[in-house]
Amino acid sequence: MGTSVDAPAVVAEEVTDNMLGGKKVTVVFVLGGPGSGKGTQCTNIVEHFGFTHLSAGDLLRAEIKSGSENGTMIETMIKEGKIVPSEVTIKLLQEAMIKSENDKFLIDGFPRNEENRSAFENVTKISPAFVLFFDCTEEEMEKRLLGRNQGRVDDNIETIRKRFKVFVESSLPVIEYYSSKDKVKKIDAAKPIPEVFEDVTAIFAPYAPKV
Ligand code: C5P
Ligand code: MG
């Protein structure tokens, strides 16, 4: 009544087949604020559950070191705590997954914003099995970042504040999006590393290697 445009009868389904380079892949997104322990726990998950860990931040930092044409742009973005355009990050993730002999991936620190999220699904046709969310207070994350001494250009108080702001404004909405799809497994990441890993282990139990 009163509408002149025909609405489509069916809303388009998400087109995801999770195929990449001739293999069917399982992807888990690992999200959480800077300093929430994503990298640390991913190392544990790799060891116990046979996943390959792909850190978007590490891939971007490697790209700077390799002297690629995007290096200067990426470095500027990281120093400012800003999010690098999706096409750059997605290409790095895609290449790493294709090159790997594994078919189970932890993608850490991605998607960081709505553009990351939608571009990844559109380009790769991959949707995550679930999203592991490390929930931690800013106070605790700040303490960890200032104490970790990895020589990173963005672990200074000024950039840390910017990264927190980007996390709240751009990354939390991504977590809310996946929450609405019942895909988020949230973990209290303020606890000590072994206790966090106990919670992680419970979540990954279905992926334990069969013996
Ligand atoms: O995850 P990590 O803390 O290592 O990321 C460091 C920086 O890398 C981010 O603050 C951001 O500048 C950049 N990055 C990005 N897009 C991503 C992941 C990281 O631009 N998806
Ligand atoms: Mg990290």
Side-chain angles (χ1 to χ4, degrees):
M1 222 182 36
T3 47
S4 54
V5 182
D6 285 334
V10 191
V11 176
E13 281 291 307
E14 280 173 39
V15 187
T16 56
D17 60 9
N18 286 20
M19 291 297 293
L20 189 73
K23 60 187 172 188
K24 194 168 184 77
V25 297
T26 300
V27 164
V28 173
F29 288 147
V30 182
L31 299 178
S36 59
K38 302 184 293 292
T40 303
Q41 295 298 335
C42 281
T43 304
N44 285 334
I45 299 167
V46 165
E47 201 180 311
H48 291 83
F49 299 101
F51 277 72
T52 291
H53 175 206
L54 300 176
S55 155
D58 286 352
L59 288 169
L60 290 167
R61 283 183 285 272
E63 192 66 2
I64 299 173
K65 279 219 185 97
S66 79
S68 101
E69 54 174 341
N70 285 321
T72 317
M73 178 275 288
I74 297 171
E75 192 168 24
T76 308
M77 302 296 269
I78 288 183
K79 276 186 185 148
E80 286 296 312
K82 291 186 180 152
I83 297 167
V84 173
S86 298
E87 62 205 71
V88 173
T89 316
I90 290 171
K91 186 164 165 275
L92 294 172
L93 289 168
Q94 239 178 339
E95 282 172 359
M97 285 192 282
I98 290 170
K99 219 165 56 187
S100 167
E101 279 172 13
N102 204 345
D103 57 2
K104 295 193 293 182
F105 299 97
L106 298 168
I107 299 193
D108 151 12
F110 183 98
R112 275 284 221 285
N113 62 9
E114 177 55 28
E115 192 220 352
N116 272 182
R117 185 198 67 71
S118 59
F120 184 84
E121 280 194 14
N122 290 336
V123 172
T124 67
K125 312 292 180 212
I126 294 169
S127 66
F130 61 90
V131 175
L132 190 61
F133 170 37
F134 289 110
D135 191 25
C136 194
T137 61
E138 281 190 9
E139 192 189 12
E140 175 63 22
M141 293 193 288
E142 184 179 303
K143 201 171 79 190
R144 292 177 185 175
L145 293 171
L146 291 174
R148 76 180 174 183
N149 247 326
Q150 292 174 343
R152 278 177 52 165
V153 293
D154 55 350
D155 280 349
N156 59 81
I157 192 64
E158 198 190 328
T159 312
I160 288 169
R161 295 264 150 84
K162 290 180 184 165
R163 289 156 71 199
F164 284 162
K165 192 166 185 293
V166 168
F167 177 71
V168 171
E169 289 176 358
S170 304
S171 309
L172 273 182
V174 173
I175 294 161
E176 277 157 22
Y177 169 87
Y178 284 117
S179 257
S180 76
K181 298 196 166 282
D182 254 342
K183 284 210 168 182
V184 175
K185 297 183 193 292
K186 180 165 118 174
I187 282 189
D188 174 4
K191 297 194 286 189
I193 294 170
E195 288 176 38
V196 176
F197 190 57
E198 273 179 34
D199 296 346
V200 167
T201 301
I203 289 171
F204 277 85
Y207 295 91
K210 308 206 169 29
V211 280

